[in-house]
Amino acid sequence: IATQGGTGVGDRNMDDMVAALAGPDGMRPKLVHRLDRDTTGVLVFGKTHAGTAALAESFRDRDTKKVYWAIVLGVPRPASGQIRSWMRKDYGPGQADREMMRPAIQKDEGAVHAITDYMVVQNAGQEAAWMALRPVTGRTHQLRFHLTEIGNSIAGDPKYRCDRPTPGGLDGKLLLHARAIEIPHPKKGTLRVIAPIPPHMKKAFDLLGFDERDAKDPFEPFE
């Protein structure tokens, strides 16, 4: 299910479907954190106007911790580190969903700076790796762009590709999952959510010999 409406999506998207959860005052949950169309995992909605504003501010101020899991082609070296780059939005020919991020330099019009922390959790020889990713900034397609920039595209990505072969047996779906989020609760305390991996990613884990039980706490690598 798509996060938001768009070309070819119609009203079968999370943003429209949660209208059924509107409160007595007619206030419907508002999307605060979106995901790319083929990415699975945690979404964040605000239930009230004040709550939505507070959650959105937490994202803007970078008070939110997000961790994604991905299966990438090849094995990044070094096994942990930080990716920094400038990028800008561009469009290819044809459909509206051809929007892509391109490499840029600081002075380019529309250029934005993107930062991603990463760690290899396990590897399947030199063919593929299971990675934990923490986007410090929240740019469009940031993780997909960054992994391609270092030569280790996310398996199943139809837009951002490197020249490494895809291990046989994978079904071609994007293997990127918004695993966990930690965000200040608008009223008090901290909201922490961990999303189980979807069936197609579990299948890829089994194929490549990865075991979820070998993962540490999803936030630990970045504390």
Side-chain angles (χ1 to χ4, degrees):
I1 300 175
T3 304
Q4 292 176 297
T7 304
V9 175
D11 59 2
R12 194 173 186 274
N13 62 82
M14 291 301 300
D15 201 21
D16 287 338
M17 292 171 71
V18 296
L21 303 177
D25 60 353
M27 170 66 186
R28 54 180 283 179
K30 295 292 186 181
L31 186 65
V32 178
H33 173 236
R34 64 177 293 275
L35 298 176
D36 292 339
R37 179 180 298 182
D38 298 319
T39 303
T40 59
V42 179
L43 291 173
V44 178
F45 289 85
K47 292 176 64 177
T48 65
H49 292 294
T52 299
L55 291 168
E57 185 176 2
S58 294
F59 278 96
R60 287 194 300 270
D61 294 345
R62 300 184 188 175
D63 294 329
T64 301
K65 295 179 181 178
K66 296 175 287 182
V67 173
Y68 289 71
W69 282 2
I71 294 178
V72 305
L73 306 180
V75 182
R77 293 287 184 267
S80 63
Q82 187 176 84
I83 307 168
R84 291 172 169 260
S85 67
W86 289 88
M87 55 202 292
R88 63 180 178 85
K89 190 175 295 186
D90 196 5
Y91 297 89
Q95 312 97 323
D97 68 351
R98 292 299 299 172
E99 174 184 279
M100 290 186 69
M101 302 305 290
R102 307 285 186 185
I105 58 177
Q106 184 175 0
K107 67 179 181 179
D108 288 344
E109 182 179 356
V112 293
H113 196 233
I115 305 171
T116 300
D117 293 329
Y118 73 88
M119 184 184 76
V120 174
V121 181
Q122 288 184 353
N123 60 283
Q126 296 301 308
E127 288 189 331
W130 163 21
M131 297 186 68
L133 306 165
R134 187 178 80 92
V136 179
T137 54
R139 310 303 187 188
T140 301
H141 299 175
Q142 175 178 318
L143 301 179
R144 299 163 64 187
F145 174 86
H146 269 167
L147 270 298
T148 300
E149 283 287 281
I150 65 171
N152 300 100
S153 296
I154 298 172
D157 196 325
K159 287 187 177 183
Y160 298 89
R161 302 178 182 180
C162 62
D163 58 3
R164 295 179 184 273
T166 300
L170 297 182
D171 61 10
K173 294 182 179 179
L174 181 68
L175 297 178
L176 177 62
H177 178 64
R179 171 63 175 176
I181 193 165
E182 187 176 86
I183 185 170
H185 193 283
K187 290 186 176 179
K188 186 179 181 181
T190 300
L191 177 65
R192 186 179 185 188
V193 180
I194 298 177
I197 60 174
H200 75 279
M201 202 159 185
K202 178 65 166 62
K203 180 180 176 181
F205 267 51
D206 292 342
L207 176 71
L208 297 169
F210 300 146
D211 190 335
E212 281 188 82
R213 293 172 295 182
D214 295 332
K216 298 179 180 179
D217 180 287
F219 297 106
E220 185 176 336
F222 309 111
E223 291 295 339

